[in-house]
């Protein structure tokens, strides 16, 4: 997919759980190759939005196009080739703790049917390298720090060389220095892979550092969207609050 084309498009997407309307006719598109940070209060539907992007949840209404394919009506078999192009790192994405770090990253490659151990090892080493974890293939997850485990999760998300990478709160629970390192790894990936990145975060500092554009969700809609410098002067109260929160964070 060329830069400038849409990687992701939501059109009038609604999603409710029981009586609770989470997304209320949300519409947006994200261009291929961009870095987008999604912000908003807790419980506002950020994680739900990511899950809709990989078909882990279905919308009640509306259409979702991923890499130019409408995914709303697809069953899991039809969805598989689309999912293969979308990597995701969920907030609590855990590694399998009984196998090595390297084998964790090899897992999606084996599942895809990659057979040669040598080739798998080579690819895994490359992904470890990309996230700054070179030389950690044979470690057990428990031997890694929180920040390193997060990087390993990222390496696993990258294993299939996705054209879209979805990341849910990569730096929550990490100290500010480690959080900054994760941001840097994400930015490095962008340069290396040219993937479209969608990062949910409530660290405004991170979002400012990384985003081409920020999307702020509230009441089931995008209430503000733009480059960080543009949103700094936003009239929207929630956006002003988000930027103010930086001083206390
Ligand atoms: N599987 C689910 N079943 C019921 N309610 C859910 C489910 N997933 C999310 N929700 C509700 O949807 C709302 C948005 O959740 P979420 O997207 O996780 O928020 P956040 O913006 O903090 O990531 C919350 O009120 C949450 O309780
Ligand atoms: Mg969430």
């Amino acid at each position: 997919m060329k830069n400038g084309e849409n990687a992701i498009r939501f059109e009038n997407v609604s999603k409710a759980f029981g009586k609770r309307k989470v997304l209320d006719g949300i519409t947006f598109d994200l261009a291929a190759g961009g870095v987008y940070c999604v912000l908003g209060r807790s419980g506002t539907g950020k994680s739900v939005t990511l899950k809709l992007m990989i078909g882990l949840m279905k919308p009640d209404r509306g259409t979702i196009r991923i890499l130019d394919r409408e995914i709303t009506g697809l069953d899991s078999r039809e969805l598989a080739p689309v999912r293969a192009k979308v990597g995701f790192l969920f907030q609590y994405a855990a590694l399998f703790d009984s196998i090595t770090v390297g084998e964790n990253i090899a897992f999606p490659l084996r599942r895809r049917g990659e057979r040669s151990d040598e080739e798998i090892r080579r690819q895994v080493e490359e992904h470890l390298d990309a996230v700054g974890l070179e030389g950690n293939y044979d470690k057990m997850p428990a031997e890694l720090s929180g920040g390193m485990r997060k990087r390993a999760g990222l390496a696993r998300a990258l294993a299939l060389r996705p054209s879209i990478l979805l990341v849910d709160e990569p730096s929550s629970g990490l100290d500010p220095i480690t959080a900054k390192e994760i941001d840097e790894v994400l930015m490095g990936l962008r340069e290396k892979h040219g993937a479209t990145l969608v990062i949910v975060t409530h660290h405004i500092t991170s979002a400012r550092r990384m985003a081409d554009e920020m999307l702020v969700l509230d009441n089931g809609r995008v209430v503000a969207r733009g480059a960080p410098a543009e949103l700094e002067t936003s009239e929207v109260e929630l956006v002003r609050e988000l930027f103010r929160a930086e001083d206390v964070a």
Side-chain angles (χ1 to χ4, degrees), residues 182-197:
I182 297 288
D183 291 354
E184 279 158 11
V185 170
L186 286 169
M187 292 302 90
L189 298 180
R190 167 206 213 169
E191 274 164 31
K192 253 183 224 152
H193 291 253
T196 309
L197 276 171

Side-chain angles (χ1 to χ4, degrees), residues 161-178:
R161 301 188 181 286
S163 21
I164 298 176
L165 182 61
L166 311 176
V167 188
D168 201 352
E169 305 216 6
S171 48
S172 60
L174 301 176
D175 64 83
I177 294 166
T178 312

Side-chain angles (χ1 to χ4, degrees), residues 169-219:
E169 305 216 6
S171 48
S172 60
L174 301 176
D175 64 83
I177 294 166
T178 312
K180 184 157 189 245
E181 283 170 10
I182 297 288
D183 291 354
E184 279 158 11
V185 170
L186 286 169
M187 292 302 90
L189 298 180
R190 167 206 213 169
E191 274 164 31
K192 253 183 224 152
H193 291 253
T196 309
L197 276 171
V198 184
I199 305 163
V200 168
T201 179
H202 45 232
H203 289 227
I204 188 84
T205 314
S206 286
R208 269 180 139 157
R209 254 192 313 251
M210 296 192 283
D212 292 321
E213 287 191 74
M214 299 179 177
L215 284 84
V216 181
L217 303 191
D218 196 28
N219 288 322

Side-chain angles (χ1 to χ4, degrees), residues 42-48 51 91-92 168-169 200:
S42 287
T44 208
K46 304 182 296 297
S47 297
V48 165
K51 286 172 190 164
Q91 188 171 353
Y92 303 108
D168 201 352
E169 305 216 6
V200 168

Side-chain angles (χ1 to χ4, degrees), residues 89 131 150-158 165 167 182 185-186 189:
L89 178 62
V131 299
K150 209 47 120 173
R151 288 164 188 246
L154 261 178
R156 187 172 56 187
L158 286 173
L165 182 61
V167 188
I182 297 288
V185 170
L186 286 169
L189 298 180

Side-chain angles (χ1 to χ4, degrees), residues 88-89 92-111 136-144 148-150 152-154 156-157 159:
F88 53 90
L89 178 62
Y92 303 108
L95 301 172
F96 301 115
D97 59 8
S98 58
I99 55 176
T100 64
V101 170
E103 283 306 307
N104 264 281
I105 296 155
F107 185 76
L109 295 170
R110 291 191 205 287
R111 197 172 47 184
N136 287 281
Y137 191 109
D138 295 310
K139 291 244 173 75
M140 296 306 283
E143 295 176 75
L144 303 186
M148 289 166 89
R149 277 201 292 275
K150 209 47 120 173
L154 261 178
R156 187 172 56 187

